[in-house]
Amino acid sequence: GENVEQHPSTLSVQEGDSAVIKCTYSDSASNYFPWYKQELGKRPQLIIDIRSNVGEKKDQRIAVTLNKTAKHFSLHITETQPEDSAVYFCAASIKGSGGSNYKLTFGKGTLLTVNP
Amino acid sequence: DAGITQSPRHKVTETGTPVTLRCHQTENHRYMYWYRQDPGHGLRLIHYSYGVKDTDKGEVSDGYSVSRSKTEDFLLTLESATSSQTSVYFCAITTGLPGDTQYFGPGTRLTVL
């Protein structure tokens, strides 16, 4: 089955700096890569996603890049703010019509701390 | 929040007792999932459902069972709770095809003493 590795497990940056979180996946058939943000005591919430026919996607200060050849994808946060402090999870899946293509496989998470 | 609720939100129970957690959705989505979240392990899939009475196991299904008798409700049962099942449990739904974006419920914090 799919295996997703996420690095680093913790990341501390100064407010205004950039933060990068990287994930690798094992199944070359994976075609959907979402990122979730989880604040303390809250549910994971989708912040951005990318599909395999796209190499990069941006949404304001957040961007995700995908390298299908190398099987890795990254989350980039620019101009970090204290409210960006949270745990971030990457995930990978094979979006399909059924069968075993049902699930997201998550990385173990990155605790991002943005220091004022 | 995709109309997902979970109950109870918090529960403390004793080893050996049965526990049922409920996930309720209001939008008739076909695919529903149960995860547990533990420090250092991220989100691990317990069971999922692809329709009424259609369920299957995830990666950490031992000690858990599920039922889905109607579209809107997906129940997770711990037949005989153990301390290793102390965790935060999240329900999720997919609004599209399987493997697509998942939206999570608010979670249930379960403590087994």
Side-chain angles (χ1 to χ4, degrees):
Chain A
E2 176 67 277
N3 182 49
V4 176
E5 300 283 341
Q6 183 172 346
H7 299 281
S9 57
T10 61
L11 179 60
S12 182
V13 300
Q14 290 299 121
E15 183 176 359
D17 287 350
S18 295
V20 180
I21 303 170
K22 300 181 179 181
C23 290
T24 60
Y25 62 98
S26 60
D27 192 334
S28 57
S30 289
N31 57 10
Y32 175 62
F33 308 91
W35 286 87
Y36 288 83
K37 176 184 180 182
Q38 187 177 28
E39 297 176 349
L40 188 63
K42 301 289 182 63
R43 74 188 80 189
Q45 295 201 305
L46 180 75
I47 54 171
I48 196 168
D49 56 13
I50 192 167
R51 302 184 191 272
S52 60
N53 58 344
V54 176
E56 181 175 1
K57 183 178 179 180
K58 292 185 71 173
D59 182 3
Q60 299 182 358
R61 296 186 296 108
I62 294 173
V64 58
T65 58
L66 172 64
N67 183 327
K68 287 218 73 179
T69 302
K71 292 191 283 188
H72 66 71
F73 56 112
S74 300
L75 177 71
H76 303 254
I77 306 174
T78 59
E79 301 173 23
T80 54
Q81 301 168 4
E83 51 264 39
D84 294 329
S85 296
V87 177
Y88 292 81
F89 292 97
C90 63
S93 76
I94 305 169
K95 179 183 172 184
S97 59
S100 63
N101 302 334
Y102 60 85
K103 68 173 187 173
L104 290 174
T105 300
F106 287 86
K108 289 183 166 50
T110 297
L111 174 61
L112 174 64
T113 303
V114 180
N115 303 299
Chain B
D1 294 336
I4 309 167
T5 58
Q6 292 184 232
S7 59
R9 296 292 315 280
H10 302 271
K11 185 170 183 67
V12 179
T13 191
E14 295 192 347
T15 298
T17 59
V19 176
T20 295
L21 309 182
R22 179 184 184 230
C23 177
H24 179 79
Q25 53 129 339
T26 59
E27 300 182 9
N28 292 321
H29 296 299
R30 182 179 175 189
Y31 296 90
M32 300 183 75
Y33 307 81
W34 276 108
Y35 292 88
R36 61 178 290 173
Q37 185 175 35
D38 306 287
H41 291 278
L43 291 152
R44 293 183 290 174
L45 182 67
I46 305 171
H47 282 279
Y48 74 105
S49 171
Y50 49 95
V52 172
K53 292 185 169 47
D54 292 324
T55 66
D56 207 346
K57 296 179 180 180
E59 60 182 303
V60 290
S61 59
D62 287 348
Y64 301 95
S65 62
V66 290
S67 65
R68 193 166 177 202
S69 59
K70 35 184 187 174
T71 301
E72 58 266 36
D73 288 326
F74 191 30
L75 304 180
L76 177 71
T77 297
L78 292 63
E79 301 288 350
S80 178
T82 67
S83 58
S84 65
Q85 293 175 311
T86 292
S87 187
V88 179
Y89 291 86
F90 286 100
C91 172
I93 59 96
T94 293
T95 58
L97 294 173
D100 208 336
T101 307
Q102 291 188 11
Y103 298 92
F104 288 84
T108 294
R109 182 172 294 277
L110 176 67
T111 302
V112 183
L113 301 176

